Amino acid sequence: MKKISAAFLGLLLIVGQTLFVANAAWNPNKKEKTSDEEVEETIAAFLEQDAGMQKFFDEAHGYAVFPKIYKGAIGVGGAYGAGQVYEKGEYIGNAKLTQLTYGLQLGGQAYSEIIFFGDKDALERFKAEKMEFSAQASAVAATAGASADAAYEGGVAIFTMTLGGLMYEASVGGQTFSFEPAK
């Protein structure tokens, strides 16, 4: 009985600490748009991790920048993030990312994500909300030199960078997006 209680207490402690770290930058006001400053800081952080990623910014038809995505799970998981979308370097609107997963997973995490659209068709699919990705299946972790081997898959290339938290995951699910044009 004591072993079970100690294991349960340890599990609660780990989950609590993990969710606390992931919650550090949480913004509960989901109606608030992502600021230009957040996007610039996110791009700078990605380029600091891997300067080779600049070629994607230079050559892509467009890109979406999600400065903070918050993810949490205990068996069933969810994630949410808001960002900005650019076409040929010009701001064209805002986007929201949602994710639902299920499987063996536990914890909480905050991360940034940049999606590059290799051609106009890929960006148009994204804007028409006809793009969905399996959870982190094709994402490349932003580390020094990671962009050298990265390639477009289905017209997109995805890079992520962990901001905080801890997530143990073997799950199935997907990311979906909504797009709101600039006014």
Side-chain angles (χ1 to χ4, degrees):
M1 186 69 171
K2 285 185 179 183
K3 285 184 181 181
I4 293 173
S5 296
F8 183 72
L9 183 61
L11 179 63
L12 280 177
L13 190 62
I14 290 170
V15 170
Q17 288 175 336
T18 300
L19 293 176
F20 177 76
V21 172
N23 188 47
W26 176 256
N27 177 6
N29 185 357
K30 294 179 182 176
K31 293 180 183 176
E32 195 172 299
K33 303 281 188 239
T34 302
S35 72
D36 294 341
E37 184 178 282
E38 287 177 297
V39 169
E40 290 169 11
E41 289 172 0
T42 301
I43 291 171
F46 272 88
L47 291 173
E48 185 177 312
Q49 285 290 319
D50 184 1
M53 196 178 295
Q54 184 64 50
K55 74 177 181 175
F56 283 91
F57 285 104
D58 295 341
E59 298 171 5
H61 183 79
Y63 52 90
V65 180
F66 296 91
K68 295 177 185 156
I69 300 170
Y70 304 97
K71 181 177 178 180
I74 300 176
V76 174
Y80 173 83
Q84 293 185 351
V85 182
Y86 296 80
E87 183 171 12
K88 297 182 180 175
E90 297 293 320
Y91 168 76
I92 60 167
N94 298 301
K96 292 183 182 171
L97 172 154
T98 55
Q99 179 177 314
L100 180 64
T101 56
Y102 61 93
L104 181 59
Q105 54 189 336
L106 175 67
Q109 186 176 46
Y111 63 97
S112 298
E113 181 170 297
I114 299 178
I115 303 169
F116 291 98
F117 306 103
D119 53 39
K120 184 176 177 79
D121 183 53
L123 178 59
E124 292 303 317
R125 283 194 327 269
F126 181 86
K127 289 177 4 184
E129 300 177 17
K130 294 183 178 180
M131 192 168 280
E132 184 174 315
F133 304 122
S134 66
Q136 270 67 31
S138 57
V140 175
T143 58
S147 64
D149 295 327
Y152 288 100
E153 185 178 314
V156 299
I158 307 166
F159 293 87
T160 63
M161 183 170 49
T162 301
L163 299 174
L166 186 61
M167 177 69 77
Y168 297 101
E169 182 175 25
S171 63
V172 176
Q175 291 181 338
T176 57
F177 305 90
S178 62
F179 174 75
E180 178 186 317
K183 295 179 177 150

